[in-house]
Amino acid sequence: DGSIQVFDIANDPGEQNDLANSADDSVRRLKQTFDTWIEERPSVRANAFDNADTETIEMLKSMGYIE
């Protein structure tokens, strides 16, 4: 669905406090860096799982990494 979740694993190992909508500047910079990285690598993202086996594809789908 394109949603992003951000967690402070050191202080929230159970991933209970999603910081994605935080006004924190570091979260904004992280999102911006990630968006830029994705835009610069569309062919890698599009073809990243072409050689993956069925079990890996299903696992990635179940975790929401791919559709």
Side-chain angles (χ1 to χ4, degrees), residues 2-51:
S3 64
I4 295 175
Q5 294 179 309
V6 178
F7 299 97
D8 179 354
I9 300 301
N11 294 309
D12 180 20
E15 298 180 354
Q16 299 299 309
N17 183 27
D18 185 1
L19 303 172
N21 294 318
S22 169
D24 188 297
D25 192 50
S26 61
V27 172
R28 183 190 56 76
R29 287 193 320 268
L30 178 62
K31 285 182 182 179
Q32 196 171 41
T33 300
F34 180 75
D35 288 344
T36 300
W37 182 79
I38 290 295
E39 288 173 14
E40 291 175 352
R41 290 158 183 80
S43 62
V44 172
R45 184 161 167 74
N47 302 323
F49 305 108
D50 284 355
N51 295 319

